């Protein structure tokens, strides 16, 4: 079955649900007209369908490998990467001063989803570069910008991010990598980094690493960390890639999925690098890249969900099994109630996750274009929800897709299992979903729930405007009560209920988006889907909120020995 890019769905959501017209109405993004955006998405969709999608299975069967210190990418990945770079899809939102298109993040978000659906292993490469471009635009010196940004924007060079070390995973402050100042203003970087996505490749002219390390006078913890730009090949006088830097790929990880994407262990042995941003303030610069990546990773989960759903629907429309109870149906398993339950749930969650990602992107664009602090707070609040809900949707939809296939889903040749293997890591990297949830109830609640309340007001308004809004209204009221209780809890009690709270908020937002879609298309497919979501997905919210109210006492009633009993 071939992937079909959901270009019309993006258009509908932008026009009727997330308010893309507000972005196009700003001076900064005036060129992002409806026709321009549609043209870009149409071409990106064709590339995803025709060039990238055929690479997905090839990357799984012929993984990236390390040969004599050189990373060899799967067959066709070089050509796929060139199509992405030459189409301008790496730098849709980058500053035109360095060759970018300067278009809204909303457009990048839609394009990234299509590329992730088609071939997640390859799409991970430009996603890393996009984040690096944004970090350099905000924090790098003019000299670094002038040399590196045009080459990253064009796709001539690729970018990575280097945070994790064997002893420092989510606790980044425990890192041991060192940076020693040199007389010429550069720094000698030494240390080992693990889990570096696309740590090297054989199709770009250079690979540029952003590396967290500690200066000699850097204090303990995250406050003493600085950020450094470390190229694989040191630029020569004309700016081209020159001699090899003192770094190498030690090995590639053997992973559950994403076999086409090399995940490297990197060794830096006095490698030459340059400071990005202020000394000891590397986390601020890196978080610029990570926040970009958190939206991008949520969209990766969503993209795999769409591909897995299409795969499952195709199978269900073809597979004949058992006596079907529907007169005039296709006579396949699609006619069975349980298969329809699974497919409808998959489709409804994908719609909610896609609307959430685009809503977040619109909020980012409006904050950038207008400087509106409230819109920036809205974007900040939605970011952890988008990352977690998008990736959990990818995992659950891919898992359900296997179930739709029945026994054949467990057989690798059908391709259904690859979606689950590939998407599983998205709930882990760029901050685990548990960390996203703790961020939501911790940092994002430092305003005493003001951003949450504003969103709940939006949800309640949508519910009140719909004849079918009673369930959503009840959900918003329950979520409002729980939010007020949450802000009065001790932090560890908040953390104990943070994951169910995040999902509950995502479901309320999902109902909000579905009802807006139903209002724009009464009686159509989207109205049917909204009814199903409100009936089958939204009621879960009340059980989730009961967990939030419970705090952490039951969890800490267990001793360490009890867990081993």
């Amino acid at each position: 079955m071939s992937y079909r890019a959901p270009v019309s769905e993006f258009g509908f959501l932008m026009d009727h649900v997330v308010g893309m017209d507000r972005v196009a109405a700003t001076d900064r993004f005036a060129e992002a007209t409806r026709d321009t955006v549609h043209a870009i998405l149409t071409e990106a969709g064709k590339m995803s369908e025709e060039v990238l999608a055929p690479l997905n299975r090839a990357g799984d069967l012929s993984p990236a490998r390390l040969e004599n210190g050189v990373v060899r990418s799967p067959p066709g990945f070089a050509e796929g990467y060139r199509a992405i770079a030459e189409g301008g899809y790496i730098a849709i939102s980058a500053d035109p001063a360095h060759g970018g298109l300067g278009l809204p993040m909303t457009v990048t978000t839609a394009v990234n989803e299509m590329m992730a659906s088609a071939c997640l292993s390859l799409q991970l490469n430009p996603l890393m570069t996009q984040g690096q471009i944004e970090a350099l635009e905000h924090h790098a010196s003019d000299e670094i910008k002038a040399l590196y940004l045009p080459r990253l924007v064009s796709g001539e060079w690729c970018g990575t991010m280097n945070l994790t070390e064997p002893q420092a995973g989510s606790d980044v402050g425990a890192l041991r990598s060192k940076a020693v100042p040199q007389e010429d203003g550069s720094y000698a970087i030494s240390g080992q980094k693990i889990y570096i996505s696309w740590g090297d490749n054989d199709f770009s002219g250079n690979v540029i690493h952003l590396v967290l390390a500690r200066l000699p006078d850097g204090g303990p913890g995250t406050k003493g960390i600085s950020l450094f730009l470390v190229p694989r090949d040191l630029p020569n006088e004309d700016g081209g890639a020159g001699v090899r830097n003192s770094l190498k790929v030690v090995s590639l990880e053997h992973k559950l999925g994403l076999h086409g994407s090399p995940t490297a262990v990197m060794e830096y042995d006095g490698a030459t690098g340059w400071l990005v941003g202020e000394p000891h303030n590397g986390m601020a610069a890196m978080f610029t890249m990570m926040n970009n990546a958190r939206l991008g990773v949520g969209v990766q989960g969503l993209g795999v969900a769409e591909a897995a759903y299409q795969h499952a629907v195709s199978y269900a429309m073809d597979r004949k099994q058992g006596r079907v109870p529907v007169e005039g149906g296709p006579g396949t398993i699609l006619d069975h109630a349980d298969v329809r339950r699974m497919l409808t749930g998959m489709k409804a969650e994908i719609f909610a996750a896609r609307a959430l990602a685009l809503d977040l992107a619109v909020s980012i664009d409006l904050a950038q274009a207008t400087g509106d602090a409230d819109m920036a707070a809205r974007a900040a609040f939605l970011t952890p929800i988008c990352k977690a809900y998008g990736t959990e949707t990818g995992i659950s939809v891919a898992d359900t897709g296997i179930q739709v296939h029945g026994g054949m889903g467990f057989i690798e040749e059908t391709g259904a299992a690859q979606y689950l293997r590939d998407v599983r890591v998205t709930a882990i990297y760029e901050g685990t979903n548990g960390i996203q949830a703790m961020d939501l109830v911790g940092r994002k609640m430092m305003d005493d729930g003001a951003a949450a309340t504003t969103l709940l007001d939006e949800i309640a308004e949508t519910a009140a405007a719909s004849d079918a809004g009673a369930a959503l209204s009840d959900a918003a009221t329950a979520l409002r009560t729980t939010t007020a209780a949450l802000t009065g809890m001790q932090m560890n009690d908040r953390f104990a209920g943070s994951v169910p709270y995040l999902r509950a908020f995502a479901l309320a937002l999902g109902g909000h988006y579905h009802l807006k879609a139903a209002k724009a298309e009464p009686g159509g497919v989207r109205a049917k889907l909204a009814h199903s979501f409100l009936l089958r997905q939204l009621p879960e919210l009340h059980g989730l909120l009961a967990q939030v109210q419970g705090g952490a006492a039951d969890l800490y009633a267990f001793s360490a020995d009890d867990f081993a009993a």
Side-chain angles (χ1 to χ4, degrees):
M1 176 254 157
S2 299
Y3 166 69
R4 300 183 309 277
V7 174
S8 62
E9 190 74 352
F10 292 127
F12 176 86
L13 284 165
M14 290 178 185
D15 289 346
H16 301 292
V17 177
V18 301
M20 178 66 176
D21 58 312
R22 294 174 295 161
V23 176
T26 66
D27 291 339
R28 177 166 179 166
F29 297 121
E31 294 184 5
T33 65
R34 191 176 186 277
D35 289 344
T36 296
V37 171
H38 179 75
I40 291 171
L41 297 187
T42 298
E43 290 305 310
K46 288 179 182 177
M47 179 201 64
S48 298
E49 293 170 349
E50 298 171 5
V51 180
L52 302 187
L55 302 177
N56 194 50
R57 194 68 177 147
D60 192 53
L61 297 175
S62 301
R65 62 194 190 279
L66 183 63
E67 290 184 350
N68 299 319
V70 178
V71 171
R72 303 295 184 190
S73 58
F77 271 41
E79 292 77 10
Y81 177 78
R82 280 198 293 273
I84 294 170
E86 291 172 2
Y89 301 120
I90 296 173
I92 292 172
S93 299
D95 191 336
H98 303 291
L101 298 180
L103 289 170
M105 180 58 69
T106 309
V107 182
T108 292
T109 298
V111 171
N112 280 350
E113 185 202 313
M114 292 186 285
M115 294 195 297
S117 289
C119 185
L120 180 58
S121 286
L122 181 54
Q123 185 268 342
L124 185 54
N125 181 295
L127 180 68
M128 294 292 96
T129 303
Q130 289 169 5
Q132 187 173 118
I133 288 169
E134 185 169 359
L136 295 181
E137 284 180 345
H138 284 84
H139 301 285
S141 66
D142 289 342
E143 291 78 11
I144 287 177
K145 290 179 183 178
L147 176 57
Y148 288 90
L149 282 176
R151 292 167 174 82
L152 291 166
V153 163
S154 70
E156 178 186 350
W157 294 353
C158 294
T160 77
M161 57 193 299
N162 287 233
L163 289 82
T164 308
E165 298 180 6
Q167 79 295 338
S170 299
D171 182 12
V172 179
L175 68 79
R176 297 172 184 159
S177 294
K178 300 294 184 182
V180 179
Q182 304 297 294
E183 291 183 359
D184 63 357
S186 68
Y187 294 81
I189 313 298
S190 298
Q192 187 179 90
K193 297 289 184 176
I194 62 173
Y195 303 152
I196 309 307
S197 298
W198 283 100
D200 198 8
N201 68 71
D202 57 357
F203 49 70
S204 69
N206 205 348
V207 179
I208 313 303
H209 303 284
L210 284 185
V211 182
L212 288 177
R214 203 180 303 277
L215 290 166
D217 60 344
T222 57
K223 293 183 179 180
I225 295 173
S226 301
L227 182 65
F228 301 88
L229 182 149
V230 187
R232 180 191 68 189
D233 303 317
L234 293 169
N236 53 33
E237 290 184 1
D238 64 5
V243 299
R244 191 78 170 204
N245 206 347
S246 299
L247 58 87
K248 64 180 179 179
V249 177
V250 176
S251 63
L252 299 182
E253 303 291 359
H254 301 280
K255 301 176 294 184
L256 175 68
L258 285 183
H259 294 152
S261 166
T263 300
V265 175
M266 301 293 302
E267 186 73 35
Y268 296 87
D269 185 13
T272 300
W274 290 268
L275 183 68
V276 174
E278 296 298 321
H280 318 310
N281 198 33
M283 289 303 295
M286 185 60 85
F287 265 112
T288 300
M289 187 172 186
M290 288 185 69
N291 281 329
N292 177 298
R294 284 171 177 171
L295 167 58
V297 171
V299 169
Q300 286 185 329
L302 165 61
V304 174
E306 176 65 34
Y309 170 74
Q310 291 188 19
H311 200 81
V313 168
S314 177
Y315 183 82
M317 295 183 74
D318 183 65
R319 173 68 167 166
K320 294 178 185 273
Q321 189 82 178
R323 180 182 296 178
V324 296
V326 178
E327 290 288 338
T332 68
I333 63 170
L334 183 64
D335 290 335
H336 293 296
D338 189 54
V339 173
R340 290 195 170 216
R341 177 192 62 81
M342 289 188 284
L343 292 174
T344 302
M346 294 161 79
K347 187 176 180 69
E349 294 259 21
I350 289 168
F351 181 92
R354 179 177 290 131
L356 172 56
L358 293 176
D359 190 12
L360 169 55
V362 164
S363 298
I364 292 170
D365 290 329
L366 288 174
Q368 290 181 343
T370 66
D372 187 334
D374 290 338
M375 196 57 67
R378 188 180 194 276
F381 190 86
L382 288 175
T383 294
I385 303 175
C386 176
K387 193 276 179 179
Y389 185 61
T391 57
E392 294 293 348
T393 296
I395 292 167
S396 66
V397 167
D399 184 53
T400 305
I402 293 175
Q403 192 72 15
V404 170
H405 281 76
M408 293 304 295
F410 203 66
I411 305 302
E412 285 288 355
E413 283 77 4
T414 64
Q418 183 187 342
Y419 295 118
L420 182 57
R421 289 189 289 102
D422 284 353
V423 78
R424 185 61 186 84
V425 72
T426 61
I428 299 171
Y429 61 29
E430 304 311 331
T432 67
N433 286 359
I435 287 174
Q436 303 303 316
M438 289 190 288
D439 175 52
L440 180 67
V441 303
R443 282 193 191 91
K444 301 304 190 292
M445 291 287 184
M446 290 175 68
D447 61 357
D448 293 325
T453 299
T454 299
L455 277 166
L456 288 169
D457 290 343
E458 292 182 30
I459 294 168
E461 184 178 345
T462 297
S466 172
D467 293 337
L472 182 60
S473 180
D474 290 345
T477 298
L479 192 52
R480 194 185 300 273
T481 299
T482 302
T483 300
L486 193 71
T487 58
M489 291 181 181
Q490 296 295 320
M491 196 58 71
N492 210 42
D493 287 324
R494 293 193 199 186
F495 288 165
S498 61
V499 169
Y501 178 80
L502 184 151
R503 178 160 177 80
F505 218 115
L507 290 173
L509 287 165
H512 166 65
Y513 302 132
H514 272 290
L515 279 184
K516 292 185 76 170
K519 184 176 182 180
E521 191 185 74
V525 172
R526 293 181 179 91
K528 298 175 188 176
L529 197 63
H531 174 74
S532 181
F533 184 89
L534 295 173
L535 177 68
R536 296 185 179 275
Q537 272 77 43
L538 188 62
E540 181 189 348
L541 174 144
H542 298 283
L544 292 166
L545 294 183
Q547 297 180 52
V548 178
Q549 298 272 13
D554 66 309
L555 304 179
Y556 288 90
F558 292 85
S559 69
D561 290 340
D562 289 337
F563 285 104

